[in-house]
Amino acid sequence: WHAQEAAMALATLSVRRSALAARQNPCSALPHNRAVRRFTVVASSSSEPDYSLVASQLNQLLVKDRITGEELRQLVVQKWGRSYDVRLHKRNSKMYLQVMWKFLEQQSFPLTEEEYMAQLDAVAEYLTDWGVADTVRRGIEGARARGPGYTGGTSARCISIPLDVDRGAARSSEWD
């Protein structure tokens, strides 16, 4: 139904553009359904429609597998009880999401909470662009109960979740 809503929104946008050009009421010829109400064109102070808002709404519809930095943090905290550092790692031609052993609540953690959330948001944006958010959710939920940490010696271990990233996917070339 996402594709149907997107098609309806594009049709709505097209009808509204032509109606605005003719200075007619853009809503008069449109069916009143959920897609039309969801994609209303907002006029800015110059009385021009805000098509960037409509484009943003359409993009959100097309992204099926979305994850946010806040959701990523909640998943980690629910699983292990701490806000562990989360990083992306490329090893050879494979990508991994790594849950590191340092955590926000630790006094020696190198990031502030704002920096930590900005990093999680950036990681989440990549995961969303690559379409692997569900893989990450399942990976965290299915990971060992004993979370990341030190092994007793001088070594530390992380939780690595393999990501099936298409080499032609959005932003994957940034990692070559």
Side-chain angles (χ1 to χ4, degrees):
W1 63 270
H2 290 294
Q4 290 173 340
E5 278 193 7
M8 176 58 83
L10 287 173
T12 301
L13 188 57
S14 174
V15 168
R16 287 181 183 210
R17 278 188 180 163
S18 63
L20 284 173
R23 299 286 185 227
Q24 297 173 351
N25 180 0
C27 296
S28 62
L30 299 175
H32 293 281
N33 63 24
R34 193 172 79 168
V36 172
R37 285 191 302 273
R38 186 171 179 183
F39 295 99
T40 54
V41 177
V42 178
S44 63
S45 59
S46 65
S47 75
E48 290 293 316
D50 185 2
Y51 291 111
S52 63
L53 176 65
V54 175
S56 171
Q57 291 172 335
L58 285 171
N59 286 335
Q60 287 177 0
L61 248 187
L62 296 175
V63 176
K64 298 173 189 166
D65 198 15
R66 187 165 192 77
I67 192 166
T68 64
E70 184 60 38
E71 182 184 356
L72 201 52
R73 180 179 183 178
Q74 288 173 355
L75 288 168
V76 169
V77 170
Q78 285 173 359
K79 180 68 179 184
W80 295 294
R82 294 184 173 147
S83 302
Y84 283 106
D85 193 12
V86 177
R87 305 276 173 124
L88 292 171
H89 179 72
K90 180 183 175 195
R91 189 177 319 142
N92 300 323
S93 63
K94 296 235 181 214
M95 291 298 300
Y96 296 88
L97 177 78
Q98 292 187 330
V99 182
M100 308 304 281
W101 52 91
K102 289 196 171 202
F103 52 95
L104 180 64
E105 297 83 9
Q106 196 172 19
Q107 193 170 13
S108 63
F109 191 70
L111 303 175
T112 65
E113 185 166 3
E114 291 79 24
E115 293 169 330
Y116 172 73
M117 289 308 299
Q119 178 177 320
L120 285 182
D121 287 337
V123 169
E125 184 178 332
Y126 274 103
L127 298 173
T128 297
D129 286 349
W130 292 336
V132 295
D134 281 337
T135 302
V136 169
R137 288 182 192 101
R138 286 190 306 269
I140 290 174
E141 291 167 3
R144 63 180 180 248
R146 186 174 174 206
Y150 294 96
T151 59
T154 57
S155 299
R157 70 175 185 280
C158 66
I159 305 291
S160 288
I161 300 168
L163 303 174
D164 186 22
V165 177
D166 178 17
R167 301 297 291 164
R171 300 180 71 174
S172 63
S173 62
E174 294 177 23
W175 292 82
D176 288 338

